[in-house]
Amino acid sequence: MDESLHTFNSLQFDLFDYYRTLLQDILRNPDSRHYDQPVYVLLGLLQEDQSFRGTLFFKHGNEVVVEKNRFRIQPSAGSPRAIQLGQEQVFWANQETSGLSEEDFQRIFHPDVQARIGPIRHFATYTSTDVALIAVYDHHTVDALDAQLLKNLTVYVQSLKLLSDQVRETEDAFLYTIKALARAAEANDEDTGNHILRVNEYARLLAETLGLDPAFCHTIHYSAQMHDVGKIHVHPDILRKPGPLTPTEIQLMKLHTETGARILGDEPRLQMAREIAYAHHEKFDGSGYPRKLSGDAIPLAARIVAVGDVYDALRQKRVYKPSLSHEEAHAILTRGDGRVDPAHFDPEVLRAFQSIHTRFDDIYEQMKDQ
Ligand SMILES: [Fe+2]
Ligand SMILES: [Fe+2]
């Protein structure tokens, strides 16, 4: 179990897969040859209609095979009841000592179960409110210990499932809050609607193309949308001014980078978002703002977002410019137009962009503002 806990990832937890790994560990364990191992393990999960949906695990060679949702298990079938609905129960039975005829003993289980695994003579079960685990043995006389082991296994996995559900819930709430913050900031901007969401997509695509690790790709996908969060402090008259900005207004506008970094603060999970907000207007050749950083001094996430942000700005219609086609935007990013210069971008990020540039067009088209 140590090994399985070591690889436990609460956000990617899959119940069936986890049981399979655990059972595989148990059945592969060389010591287990000294014990009688179950030949089949049935996992029943309670459904809304109060029946259990049964998944079958069994050893095939050195692997544990899973037949997902193979049975419906009706708790009412048979007497004594192998699994009891709505209450915790540890139960085991051996046909020879049960006082039941072989036929009556088989009725404990639904005919579908027997049709698949044959007559059952020894089994142990553990049922809690919404899960049941049943182990079927060949020649092993089961006792309280077998049932207790099943209970321990079930409680262990259910605890991890509960943990995983709670972590996922918190993660969803976190992502939702971030999105709300990003939306609040763009409310006064002419970057309406889907710009921030498209920038998330471009950023993740570039990160993946650059071969960055999955955690980085995941983080940039929710962090990129906050690049302009500092605009919440820029006056709407400046954000929406149709004509060119005065030098003072330009200075106020440029402050959105520092303001954004301050808003995002020092929460570790917002570290990348902060770097992006602070540095997405820095340029690789050192001609950007606010700190005139150049080259690798600009955080990688900001160098990535810069490409996506400029691409998207080129595609969008503005009061001072029409919307450009993908081909035009691609040409400007890679060859320059007097204002945008390829020297502004990290050459590696730009190469990544060039290798998959048509997918930028797909993202723009799929997530176009209505
Ligand atoms: Fe910006
Ligand atoms: Fe932007």
Side-chain angles (χ1 to χ4, degrees):
M1 292 212 185
D2 292 341
E3 185 63 24
S4 57
L5 197 56
H6 185 68
T7 56
F8 174 69
N9 179 332
S10 50
L11 285 176
Q12 280 158 19
F13 180 77
D14 177 274
L15 188 73
F16 299 107
D17 213 44
Y18 205 78
Y19 267 112
R20 196 186 60 78
T21 311
L22 279 181
L23 293 171
Q24 194 144 293
D25 279 357
I26 293 168
L27 297 176
R28 267 185 185 171
N29 185 341
D31 292 342
S32 72
R33 271 186 244 121
H34 304 297
Y35 306 102
D36 287 308
Q37 295 302 318
V39 281
Y40 291 101
V41 174
L42 248 162
L43 168 69
L45 298 176
L46 189 64
Q47 307 296 302
E48 273 174 15
D49 65 1
Q50 301 299 298
S51 72
F52 283 85
R53 179 152 293 194
T55 291
L56 190 65
F57 299 85
F58 57 96
K59 203 178 170 194
H60 182 79
N62 226 4
E63 296 292 314
V64 168
V65 182
V66 186
E67 285 180 10
K68 255 194 196 180
N69 300 327
R70 185 66 165 72
F71 307 105
R72 278 172 99 75
I73 308 172
Q74 295 293 352
S76 57
S79 174
R81 289 179 181 175
I83 53 178
Q84 202 72 268
L85 193 61
Q87 66 187 63
E88 200 192 30
Q89 177 183 263
V90 177
F91 186 82
W92 70 96
N94 300 287
Q95 197 253 311
E96 304 93 38
T97 54
S98 64
L100 295 175
S101 70
E102 186 161 344
E103 240 174 30
D104 285 344
F105 196 82
Q106 298 312 314
R107 271 193 215 108
I108 296 172
F109 292 95
H110 193 276
D112 286 353
V113 175
Q114 282 169 55
R116 173 64 186 82
I117 68 183
I120 295 168
R121 294 192 178 82
H122 311 276
F123 70 88
T125 71
Y126 170 71
T127 319
S128 78
T129 44
D130 55 357
V131 63
L133 203 62
I134 305 168
V136 176
Y137 299 79
D138 251 352
H139 303 292
H140 167 66
T141 305
V142 295
D143 56 25
L145 185 65
D146 296 297
Q148 190 60 38
L149 285 175
L150 277 189
K151 174 178 173 172
N152 292 349
L153 185 67
T154 312
V155 169
Y156 173 70
V157 178
Q158 288 302 106
S159 312
L160 293 182
K161 182 178 180 295
L162 187 66
L163 175 67
S164 157
D165 288 348
Q166 287 170 347
V167 169
R168 270 181 227 197
E169 213 171 277
T170 311
E171 181 72 7
D172 286 350
F174 169 72
L175 295 176
Y176 187 86
T177 309
I178 286 178
K179 205 185 238 177
L181 178 62
R183 281 204 188 286
E186 64 163 12
N188 290 323
D189 203 340
E190 60 165 347
D191 277 347
T192 47
N194 293 337
H195 166 71
I196 53 171
L197 300 178
R198 288 192 300 265
V199 173
N200 281 346
E201 300 304 317
Y202 303 136
R204 180 171 63 185
L205 175 59
L206 286 173
E208 285 169 355
T209 308
L210 286 162
L212 297 168
D213 68 78
F216 186 99
C217 299
H218 171 70
T219 307
I220 202 168
H221 185 241
Y222 68 73
S223 301
Q225 63 190 334
M226 285 176 284
H227 62 279
D228 276 340
V229 81
K231 284 190 181 170
I232 208 160
H233 266 278
V234 179
H235 199 280
D237 292 349
I238 299 178
L239 289 175
R240 294 175 169 200
K241 188 172 172 181
L245 300 179
T246 67
T248 315
E249 288 167 341
I250 289 173
Q251 284 316 306
L252 289 170
M253 183 70 142
K254 286 183 172 180
L255 276 179
H256 81 276
T257 50
E258 284 142 287
T259 313
R262 266 207 312 282
I263 289 173
L264 293 165
D266 54 10
E267 156 62 36
R269 290 208 60 193
L270 296 178
Q271 161 80 21
M272 188 190 281
R274 182 181 201 276
E275 288 176 353
I276 292 169
Y278 205 0
H280 70 284
H281 288 290
E282 300 287 359
K283 290 170 181 164
F284 205 73
D285 60 6
S287 65
Y289 64 89
R291 290 172 287 173
K292 290 198 185 318
L293 299 177
S294 63
D296 291 350
I298 307 166
L300 177 59
R303 284 180 261 149
I304 290 172
V305 169
V307 171
D309 194 26
V310 171
Y311 172 85
D312 206 70
L314 291 168
R315 295 296 311 266
Q316 281 182 290
K317 183 176 155 24
R318 297 293 168 103
V319 273
Y320 53 86
K321 70 172 253 310
S323 71
L324 300 183
S325 68
H326 170 71
E327 288 68 29
E328 290 167 315
H330 174 257
I332 291 174
L333 273 169
T334 52
R335 296 203 290 274
D337 70 345
R339 285 180 55 213
V340 177
D341 187 320
H344 293 166
F345 305 106
D346 179 338
E348 263 188 67
V349 178
L350 211 49
R351 263 198 299 279
F353 166 71
Q354 274 186 281
S355 70
I356 45 84
H357 69 87
T358 55
R359 290 175 63 190
F360 267 55
D361 191 26
D362 297 340
I363 291 169
Y364 186 81
E365 292 300 333
Q366 276 163 22
M367 302 175 75
K368 228 174 182 171
D369 292 295
Q370 299 307 318

